[in-house]
Amino acid sequence: MWVPFWTLFKKEVIRFLKVWMHTVLAPVLTGGLYLFVFGEALSKHLPVYEGVSYTAFIIPGLIMMTVLQNAFSNTASSLIQSKISGNLVFILLPAIPGPQVAAAYIGASFVRSALAGAGLYLLCSWWASPPVREPGLLIAFGFFGAAIMAALGLITALWAEKYDQMGAVMNFVIMPLTFLSGVFYSVDSLPPFWQAASRLNPFYYLVDGFRQGFFGSGDTNTTVSLLIVAATALAVTAAAVVLLVKGWKIRT
């Protein structure tokens, strides 16, 4: 029953592992550069939690940002490449159930984002090693974050007709939302208007919740953050599954 899922899942994992220097190593090095540049430049200028160095403070945000961006890139790039090259027909012809297709793509994104996130954590340990006080929160927020972005990547790839459109979503939607989610600063340090604006950004709850997994404290209520990101993940994943089942823009 689940043979199609496992076949497609393994195919997707093998696909990104064949170019691991681009799909896994490059994001790790990019995150390390962010830590080096921002950690050194802003360590004495931005207030963070009491008893927490600025370098340690930004590590959870950088890891979550890496997880989010890689989960999105994995599904979006794979599906749109299949659409443009024409090999998507090999997935459509066997009539694999839409939920299994979505699960395979999203599952492979989990693997890629987890590898990139773990690799970045190991690299960041050279500068600082923040304590992990709530490992369950790390798993929960990492899971929901990857699910949201992987499903959003599927929807983007279904909609896009060319790489430029996928790149536009990444550059003008995903990147701004991740950078404005409190990765490099505490939202509580912002003026009231920008604090309120930040709380409209779902990525803010992912970053803050993930950070709470390390330090045991954050800017938001943990339960509220979990409910928000869980509801968002459910809604976006359901939308991706429905669109795949209907064959939106991939079946004529």
Side-chain angles (χ1 to χ4, degrees):
M1 179 180 177
W2 286 95
V3 171
F5 161 77
W6 285 112
T7 302
L8 185 55
F9 171 77
K10 288 188 288 186
K11 173 255 183 189
E12 285 299 303
V13 171
I14 292 171
R15 180 192 65 82
F16 78 74
L17 286 179
K18 283 185 176 180
V19 287
W20 64 271
M21 293 187 68
H22 171 71
T23 57
V24 178
L25 182 61
V28 170
L29 295 179
T30 299
L33 287 173
Y34 279 129
L35 178 67
F36 177 75
V37 173
F38 285 94
E40 293 297 325
L42 301 177
S43 59
K44 298 180 181 179
H45 302 284
L46 288 180
V48 293
Y49 305 146
E50 184 177 353
V52 177
S53 69
Y54 179 75
T55 302
F57 173 82
I58 65 174
I59 287 176
L62 288 172
I63 295 174
M64 176 54 76
M65 184 174 72
T66 299
V67 167
L68 296 178
Q69 293 178 354
N70 278 271
F72 176 86
S73 296
N74 197 68
T75 52
S77 61
S78 178
L79 187 56
I80 196 171
Q81 183 179 17
S82 295
K83 284 178 62 178
I84 293 175
S85 64
N87 62 35
L88 187 61
V89 66
F90 297 111
I91 296 176
L92 299 178
L93 282 178
I96 302 173
Q100 291 195 29
V101 173
Y105 276 104
I106 292 173
S109 291
F110 284 164
V111 176
R112 173 174 165 179
S113 57
L115 289 174
L120 180 57
Y121 176 76
L122 292 176
L123 179 62
C124 291
S125 297
W126 287 92
W127 283 277
S129 184
V132 178
R133 303 195 184 280
E134 299 286 347
L137 292 181
L138 294 184
I139 296 172
F141 282 99
F143 173 84
F144 287 128
I148 291 170
M149 297 309 294
L152 186 59
L154 284 178
I155 295 172
T156 300
L158 290 171
W159 162 77
E161 300 292 340
K162 49 187 179 180
Y163 290 109
D164 290 350
Q165 292 174 313
M166 184 193 75
V169 174
M170 184 67 178
N171 293 327
F172 298 113
V173 179
I174 305 303
M175 289 291 287
L177 287 176
T178 51
F179 273 96
L180 297 174
S181 60
V183 171
F184 299 103
Y185 54 86
S186 172
V187 170
D188 280 353
S189 65
L190 298 176
F193 173 81
W194 291 109
Q195 288 188 35
S198 296
R199 287 178 169 82
L200 298 177
N201 179 3
F203 292 2
Y204 160 66
Y205 297 97
L206 289 168
V207 170
D208 188 71
F210 195 74
R211 185 172 282 135
Q212 290 185 48
F214 280 94
F215 303 116
S217 62
D219 298 332
T220 62
N221 180 277
T222 306
T223 303
V224 172
S225 295
L226 276 173
L227 289 174
I228 290 173
V229 299
T232 304
L234 181 61
V236 179
T237 303
V241 171
V242 169
L243 293 175
L244 277 170
V245 170
K246 291 185 176 181
W248 182 54
K249 302 192 75 173
I250 58 175
R251 288 193 179 98
T252 56

